[in-house]
Amino acid sequence: MVTQLGVGGAGSATAAALLNLGTRTLNLFDLDAQRAIAKAQQLAELYPGATVRAVTKAELAEALAASTGLVNATPIGMHHHPGAPLPLGYLHPQLWVFDVIYLPQKTLLIQKARSIGCRVLPGGLMAVGQAADAFELITGLSPDRAELLTHFKRLLAAQGNQLT
């Protein structure tokens, strides 16, 4: 079971990717509860073998306690939206945590998750993947993804960040 925060543009993409990769149960939370309900209904129709449901703020702690994965697809944690997208006490060591935010790489969510033993994936790899896919879509050429990742790491290092 995976719980995802946010169902906007990035959230729609990550939710579909999770289901394409075989997630059988997906909980969706958004501050706009109606948007979460609509997205859950849409995805449930597209993925009839999966259980996709919207969870409320009151249900979030319980949903996360039963989950093995957490995706943050909200802007909370970005430089201009500091903080954590949920109470960090909801995290537990059995979770893997993916944060779509790529600047900063070490969001509060990633830092706390790492400190309690969660497996983490910062958003930098998603940024590189998006760049590679966009390049291929526009040009028809397949970029060297390893070189893109190396370049991205150099850019981060120049800013005092690192892909961890």
Side-chain angles (χ1 to χ4, degrees):
M1 179 183 313
V2 177
T3 297
Q4 178 176 292
L5 312 173
V7 297
S12 292
T14 54
L18 288 164
L19 293 164
N20 280 328
L21 291 169
T23 297
R24 305 309 316 147
T25 304
L26 179 60
N27 298 313
L28 299 175
F29 172 78
D30 197 277
L31 290 176
D32 180 342
Q34 291 305 312
R35 186 161 77 163
I37 290 167
K39 183 57 64 178
Q41 290 172 342
Q42 177 191 37
L43 291 170
E45 289 176 18
L46 293 171
Y47 299 90
T51 300
V52 184
R53 68 184 191 104
V55 296
T56 65
K57 190 173 186 177
E59 299 168 317
L60 188 56
E62 185 178 331
L64 215 39
S67 293
T68 58
L70 169 65
V71 174
N72 176 34
T74 76
I76 306 302
M78 294 173 73
H79 290 300
H80 300 295
H81 300 282
L86 77 166
L88 295 175
Y90 290 3
L91 301 177
H92 57 84
Q94 293 74 35
L95 282 172
W96 54 260
V97 176
F98 171 53
D99 198 338
V100 302
I101 295 169
Y102 54 91
L103 285 177
Q105 283 292 288
K106 295 180 181 176
T107 62
L108 287 177
L109 177 63
I110 291 294
Q111 290 176 52
K112 177 63 175 180
R114 185 172 280 129
S115 77
I116 66 168
C118 298
R119 292 176 294 145
V120 300
L121 182 62
L125 295 175
M126 187 177 93
V128 171
Q130 284 178 321
D133 289 347
F135 183 84
E136 189 167 352
L137 181 66
I138 293 167
T139 67
L141 303 171
S142 294
D144 182 336
R145 289 175 184 260
E147 180 57 34
L148 285 177
L149 182 57
T150 299
H151 181 68
F152 185 71
K153 287 178 179 179
R154 277 191 232 121
L155 291 173
L156 287 175
Q159 295 179 353
N161 290 297
Q162 60 183 359
L163 185 64
T164 56

